[in-house]
Amino acid sequence: MRKIRQKPMSRDVLKINKTGLFGEILLGLQLVTPEKLEIALKEQSSQDKAHHRRIGEILVGLGFLSEDDMLRALSSQFGLKYIKFSEFPKSIPNASYPTVKFMKQYKFVPIGLEGDVLKIAVSDPLDEYMLDVLLNFSDLSLDICLGSEKDIMEAIEQYFGSNVHMTSIMEGMREEEGEEVELSEDVHHLRDMAFEAPIVKLVNMLITRAVESRTSDIHIEPFEHNVKVRFRIDGALTDIESLPKRIQPAVISRVKIMSKMNIAERRLPQDGRIKLRVSGRDIDLRVSTIPTIYGESIVMRILDSGSALIILDHLGFPEAVQRKYEKLLTTPYGMILVTGPTGSGKTTTLYASLNSINSVDKKIITVEDPIEYQIDGINQIQVKPMIGLSFATGLRHIVRQDPDVIMVGEIRDVETADISINSALTGHLVFSTLHTNDAPGAVTRLLDMGIEGFLVSSSLIGVLAQRLVRMICPVCKEPLKLQQELVDNMQLEGIKETYYGKGCDECRNTGYRGRTGIFELMLIDSALRQLILEKAGADIIRKHAIASGMHVLRENGWEKVRQGITTVEEVLRVSQEGI
C-alpha cells in the first residue's frame, strides 16, 4: 500500500514511464508470449485517443492475460498490496464519499477510513485525474491498494449499490401491497405508473445489475402470485428477485415504453430495442414480449456493442482445428456455414472470422438481426422486416455493392439460401449460420429446403458446428477422481482424474465462470461433393467426414475435460452421443 498526502502519485513515483515497459515486465514473468504482446501492441496502436487503452487492459480483453495475473504484476511493480473481494470489509464507516457514478466510472471503491486516512481499492493506480479529485474532495490522505475491476464493482454494489436500494424499494412496495391485487387495464394509468420514480429506479437497477454480472438475458416472468426475475449467466438461468404482483403492470409497461412498444397491446407478441449507457459502456437490449396466462413475459437480450475485439484465439479452438479453419478463411470464394442451436456462440465465431480477414483490400458487408458487435471497416446492415428489409432483400442488394466477403446473419428460408449460394458461386466468400445439431446436418437442411444438390456441392466449402460449455472456476477448482463405470460408459479413455468447481463468491457458488467453445469442422472434399450430389443422408456424410479426419463435438469436449477446462457434466449437457 502507498499513502498520498499531497499531490497524486505520478508515473515516475510508480517507476513506470510508458506502457511498453509493462509489456517487458509481463514477458520477464512469462505471463505472455512475444507473439501475443505484439498483437496487443498493434491493437493499441490502431486506437484513437478517445478510446485509448493500456497494454495490460488490451491483453486481458483479448484473453491473452488473466486480470488476476495482470494485477499481481502491477502489485509487484508498484509496491501496492493486491486484495481480493474476500478480503474486502463487509461494510465501511458512514462518511461523505464520492458519488456511485464517479466510483463506477473510474473503477475505485473506499474500503476503510482510519482517522484522516481513506483506504481505497483501485484497478488503475495510474489514473492521476481520479486521485487528484479524491484528494480535493476532502482533507483526507489516501491509502491505496489494488483490486480487480470485478471485485471493485461488487464492492460498490455491496456498500452503495443497486442491491441495497433495490431491497429498500422492494420492502416499501411490499408494505404498500394489499391482500387483493387488481391489475390495471387503463392505458393512461399504466403510463403514469411506468413513470413513477420507484418503478424507473427498479427497472434501471435490474438492467445495471445484469450488465455488471455478465448476464446475457434478463427474464421477467409473471406468475399467479408474483413476478420472477431471472438472469442467464454463462448459459444458465439464476433466480434474482421476486417482485410483488401489484407492480407487474408498471414494470412491464416501463420496459415496453423504454423499448418503444405499444403498451395498449397485451394480446400479441411484440419486439423492441433499448439503447442506453451502463457503467461507461454502450449497451443495446433486444426486447421481446409474449402474452401468458398471468400477463406478458419479457426477455431482454443484452448486446454489448462496445465489446473488445473478438479474435479466433479467444474462442477455444483446438490448435489443429483452428489451423484448418483459418486456411478455409483464405479461400477467395465459396460458402462457410456455422451451425448450432440458439445461444451456442455462432455469431461470435462469425465476427471473429471477419475480424481475422478484415483488411483495406477487402470490402466486407454483413446483413444481421441484430447487429451484436460493431466492427470498424465493415459495412453492417440491420434487418428491418417492418419496412420490408429482410435477409433476402438485403442480400439481393449487397451483391450490387461489389463486395469481396458477405456475412448473412442466418439462413431462415429458401430465398435467402438460394441467393447466398449463388453469391458464393459468383466469386464471393459467404458466411452464414444454420440451426442444425451437427456439421453434416447442414447439408441435409439445405437439401430439405429445396436447394439443388449440384448447387450445394459446388458452393459449400466447410461447415463448423459448435457448442458452448461452462469453464471450471479457477478460484475454487479442485481435483476429482472419476468412477471407472463413468470412464467406461462415456468412453473416456485416458481420463482418470479431472476437476470441478467447489463453489465460491467468485463464481456465485456455481463452480463455473465463463464459457468456451467445443467444435467440429467438416471440410468439403471431392468425395463429399459426390455424396451431396447423390443426396446422401447425414449419417453417410458423417461417416465419411470422420474417416477423413473430422473430430466430433464430444471428442473436443472430452479433450477439454482432460485439460481441466470443463466438466464431464457440461459436455454431456450440450452434446449428444456420437456428436
Side-chain angles (χ1 to χ4, degrees):
M1 292 177 286
R2 186 174 299 244
K3 294 181 180 178
I4 306 175
R5 295 188 181 275
Q6 297 177 0
K7 292 291 289 180
M9 63 179 68
S10 67
R11 293 174 184 264
D12 293 331
V13 174
L14 289 174
K15 303 176 184 177
I16 289 187
N17 297 313
K18 52 187 178 181
T19 37
L21 182 57
F22 185 60
E24 294 173 17
I25 296 166
L26 294 172
L27 289 174
L29 294 172
Q30 297 185 336
L31 293 175
V32 296
T33 63
E35 293 77 17
K36 290 180 177 179
L37 179 61
E38 183 65 26
I39 292 172
L41 288 170
K42 285 182 179 178
E43 168 67 11
Q44 186 186 51
S45 65
S46 67
Q47 296 172 348
D48 55 42
K49 290 183 179 180
H51 298 90
H52 178 77
R53 292 187 297 155
R54 295 198 173 95
I55 196 68
E57 186 183 351
I58 294 172
L59 286 164
V60 171
L62 292 172
F64 294 160
L65 179 71
S66 72
E67 188 176 17
D68 189 65
D69 283 340
M70 180 187 75
L71 288 167
R72 291 186 190 282
L74 287 172
S75 172
S76 173
Q77 178 67 16
F78 295 174
L80 300 176
K81 183 181 179 182
Y82 169 40
I83 64 171
K84 308 198 79 170
F85 185 75
S86 57
E87 301 173 77
F88 282 32
K90 297 299 181 186
S91 61
I92 57 173
N94 289 326
S96 178
Y97 297 112
T99 65
V100 171
K101 182 178 180 181
F102 183 76
M103 285 187 267
K104 287 184 175 181
Q105 182 177 355
Y106 291 97
K107 301 176 179 61
F108 76 94
V109 64
I111 55 175
L113 184 61
E114 297 178 6
D116 65 344
V117 178
L118 176 65
K119 186 177 181 181
I120 64 170
V122 302
S123 65
D124 182 4
L126 289 176
D127 192 334
E128 297 182 14
Y129 173 76
M130 177 267 291
L131 296 172
D132 194 33
V133 169
L134 281 177
L135 284 172
N136 292 327
F137 180 76
S138 68
D139 295 328
L140 301 175
S141 300
L142 298 181
D143 192 357
I144 298 176
C145 51
L146 283 173
S148 72
E149 181 178 331
K150 171 187 169 295
D151 288 349
I152 287 170
M153 291 302 177
E154 283 199 29
I156 293 172
E157 279 293 311
Q158 180 171 308
Y159 304 149
F160 315 99
S162 59
N163 288 344
V164 177
H165 297 304
M166 190 179 295
T167 300
S168 61
I169 290 173
M170 295 301 301
E171 286 175 353
M173 288 176 174
R174 289 190 177 101
E175 285 174 6
E176 295 177 8
E177 186 177 8
E179 291 183 6
E180 296 296 326
V181 175
E182 182 179 348
L183 302 184
S184 173
E185 296 290 329
D186 181 71
V187 173
H188 297 293
H189 184 48
L190 286 174
R191 187 177 294 276
D192 290 342
M193 287 194 301
F195 282 99
E196 288 178 359
I199 297 298
V200 172
K201 287 181 181 178
L202 178 63
V203 173
N204 289 346
M205 286 174 186
L206 282 174
I207 294 173
T208 300
R209 188 173 171 188
V211 170
E212 292 177 351
S213 60
R214 300 178 297 107
T215 296
S216 62
D217 300 87
I218 304 170
H219 293 246
I220 302 176
E221 304 165 315
F223 292 97
E224 185 175 4
H225 301 296
N226 63 0
V227 180
K228 283 188 177 181
V229 178
R230 298 195 289 173
F231 291 173
R232 189 176 294 279
I233 302 173
D234 292 335
L237 278 171
T238 304
D239 279 331
I240 298 298
E241 191 62 72
S242 179
L243 305 179
K245 188 72 174 176
R246 187 182 65 81
I247 67 169
Q248 173 185 320
V251 170
I252 291 174
S253 296
R254 178 62 192 167
V255 174
K256 290 173 74 173
I257 287 171
M258 291 174 71
S259 50
K260 297 178 174 60
M261 294 183 190
N262 180 3
I263 65 170
E265 179 56 76
R266 293 181 286 273
R267 301 165 300 169
L268 296 173
Q270 294 188 66
D271 294 305
R273 300 193 72 174
I274 301 172
K275 286 179 175 286
L276 69 166
R277 193 166 180 83
V278 179
S279 300
R281 293 152 59 189
D282 291 319
I283 301 295
D284 286 352
L285 290 98
R286 185 175 59 183
V287 186
S288 170
T289 71
I290 57 168
T292 72
I293 188 172
Y294 294 116
E296 290 175 283
S297 174
I298 292 180
V299 175
M300 292 184 273
R301 167 66 58 88
I302 298 174
L303 306 173
D304 189 351
S305 57
S307 290
L309 181 70
I310 305 168
I311 61 171
L312 293 172
D313 287 341
H314 200 192
L315 302 184
F317 274 101
E319 186 177 343
V321 175
Q322 184 169 333
R323 281 201 308 269
K324 291 177 182 178
Y325 186 66
E326 287 177 337
K327 185 176 180 181
L328 201 63
L329 299 180
T330 63
T331 309
Y333 56 87
M335 185 162 69
I336 299 171
L337 293 176
V338 181
T339 76
T342 300
S344 59
K346 302 185 297 295
T347 304
T348 300
T349 298
L350 287 182
Y351 280 121
S353 303
L354 295 181
N355 266 324
S356 70
I357 60 175
N358 188 13
S359 60
V360 293
D361 62 337
K362 285 189 176 71
K363 174 140 185 171
I364 303 175
I365 307 181
T366 73
V367 53
E368 310 170 52
D369 183 26
I371 296 174
E372 296 190 20
Y373 304 97
Q374 295 171 15
I375 307 175
D376 187 46
I378 294 179
N379 298 274
Q380 296 173 268
I381 301 170
Q382 169 68 54
V383 167
K384 296 177 181 176
M386 296 288 288
I387 60 171
L389 180 54
S390 63
F391 279 115
T393 305
L395 188 53
R396 192 178 293 110
H397 290 277
I398 280 176
V399 294
R400 301 172 189 164
Q401 289 283 309
D402 188 30
D404 298 291
V405 180
I406 298 170
M407 192 264 270
V408 184
E410 183 184 343
I411 293 179
R412 295 177 178 173
D413 52 54
V414 65
E415 185 180 9
T416 305
D418 190 55
I419 302 171
S420 298
I421 286 173
N422 279 287
S423 299
L425 292 172
T426 53
H428 306 94
L429 183 60
V430 179
F431 295 88
S432 193
T433 69
L434 272 178
H435 289 281
T436 63
N437 288 329
D438 59 3
V443 174
T444 53
R445 176 63 57 82
L446 290 173
L447 294 174
D448 290 344
M449 280 183 173
I451 305 298
E452 293 293 341
F454 73 91
L455 291 175
V456 177
S457 66
S458 301
S459 60
L460 195 62
I461 59 175
V463 184
L464 180 74
Q466 68 177 72
R467 300 288 190 279
L468 291 177
V469 293
R470 290 181 292 173
M471 295 189 292
I472 301 168
C473 174
V475 177
C476 59
K477 185 175 179 179
E478 292 190 359
L480 173 68
K481 189 173 183 179
L482 294 178
Q483 296 179 358
Q484 187 59 44
E485 183 181 359
L486 182 63
V487 173
D488 295 337
N489 290 342
M490 294 294 106
Q491 300 178 346
L492 301 175
E493 295 86 357
I495 308 178
K496 300 296 183 184
E497 184 179 83
T498 182
Y499 295 87
Y500 79 106
K502 189 176 181 181
C504 64
D505 291 339
E506 293 284 328
C507 61
R508 298 174 179 267
N509 292 310
T510 63
Y512 298 99
R513 181 166 174 79
R515 290 188 290 176
T516 189
I518 58 174
F519 304 89
E520 73 176 27
L521 176 63
M522 184 177 77
L523 302 177
I524 310 298
D525 57 21
S526 57
L528 268 180
R529 294 189 195 284
Q530 185 59 39
L531 289 174
I532 295 171
L533 280 172
E534 296 169 1
K535 297 188 177 180
D539 289 343
I540 296 173
I541 292 174
R542 183 177 190 77
K543 286 178 182 177
H544 174 80
I546 292 172
S548 300
M550 181 182 82
H551 294 283
V552 299
L553 284 167
R554 191 164 279 193
E555 284 182 79
N556 186 204
W558 293 150
E559 183 57 34
K560 283 184 164 57
V561 170
R562 187 177 286 107
Q563 295 169 0
I565 295 172
T566 190
T567 62
V568 172
E569 291 79 11
E570 273 297 287
V571 177
L572 294 177
R573 181 179 68 85
V574 303
S575 65
Q576 301 174 17
E577 188 173 356
I579 293 181

